[in-house]
Amino acid sequence: MLLFLCCANAASFSQRVTIRVINLNGKPFRNKQVYISGLSAQAASNQDERLKLTGKRIRADLSLLTDSKGETAFDLPNPVPAYVYVRPLFSERVWDCSCLLSVPTDKLLQKGYIFVSDERKKPKQSSQPRAGEILFVMVRTPLWWQLLYPIAKG
């Protein structure tokens, strides 16, 4: 009987996911809006989930704000979806990122997931994700792009 209770109790635990948003130097972004999709029981296509987070009217399953450490967290539903879709909201003019990730939950829960907005840049060694964590490392756009952005976007 005790073995059954232990197994039943373990199956009911939800899996916590942390999202951390920092710059290349490790400084956290506080009060950063983060949208999450892919958590509802109705399975939607990859494209539909992406549209929910990139359309004119965002229809996210969750809308969270980062704290003073650049972190926010949520619990995965049961059963755990194959992917979660995450988008912190950044100005493309200043930050090199449209920042929409499709994160495989198996990889996320085992070793974490890191996204560097400019893959030519390397974050600090201490800036590595933990199991259950999605880490966004943001890189600023060059000044010339910030000045030309209004012209480029028309």
Side-chain angles (χ1 to χ4, degrees):
M1 180 69 169
L2 183 60
L3 179 62
F4 173 75
L5 289 175
C6 290
C7 293
N9 201 15
S12 66
F13 281 118
S14 61
Q15 308 238 357
R16 191 105 174 129
V17 173
T18 302
I19 299 169
R20 186 164 45 122
V21 186
I22 61 174
N23 69 14
L24 197 57
N25 298 322
K27 183 180 177 197
F29 285 92
R30 66 176 67 152
N31 295 320
K32 181 54 64 182
Q33 188 81 44
V34 180
Y35 296 112
I36 296 116
S37 186
L39 302 178
S40 63
Q42 297 111 342
S45 71
N46 187 347
Q47 183 176 357
D48 288 342
E49 293 297 342
R50 288 178 171 279
L51 285 173
K52 285 169 65 174
L53 299 182
T54 57
K56 284 204 181 271
R57 192 176 136 260
I58 293 177
R59 301 179 332 267
D61 295 335
L62 285 175
S63 176
L64 305 170
L65 283 177
T66 59
D67 62 16
S68 62
K69 296 183 282 184
E71 296 181 357
T72 189
F74 66 96
D75 292 322
L76 287 171
N78 198 358
V80 174
Y83 291 88
V84 292
Y85 302 85
V86 182
R87 180 181 179 212
L89 203 52
F90 279 92
S91 164
E92 288 181 42
R93 180 179 188 168
V94 180
W95 299 99
D96 188 12
C97 187
S98 59
C99 297
L100 175 59
L101 293 185
S102 172
V103 181
T105 52
D106 57 347
K107 181 178 179 182
L108 165 62
L109 295 172
Q110 289 173 8
K111 55 184 176 181
Y113 196 88
I114 187 170
F115 172 80
V116 181
S117 67
D118 183 344
E119 52 196 40
R120 297 170 295 179
K121 309 281 183 172
K122 297 291 179 207
K124 289 182 172 182
Q125 273 296 37
S126 60
S127 300
Q128 294 301 313
R130 300 177 296 267
E133 178 181 59
I134 302 170
L135 175 60
F136 286 89
V137 181
M138 303 305 300
V139 179
R140 288 183 75 90
T141 58
L143 182 58
W144 64 266
W145 173 251
Q146 293 176 36
L147 295 172
L148 293 176
Y149 182 83
I151 298 166
K153 291 296 179 175

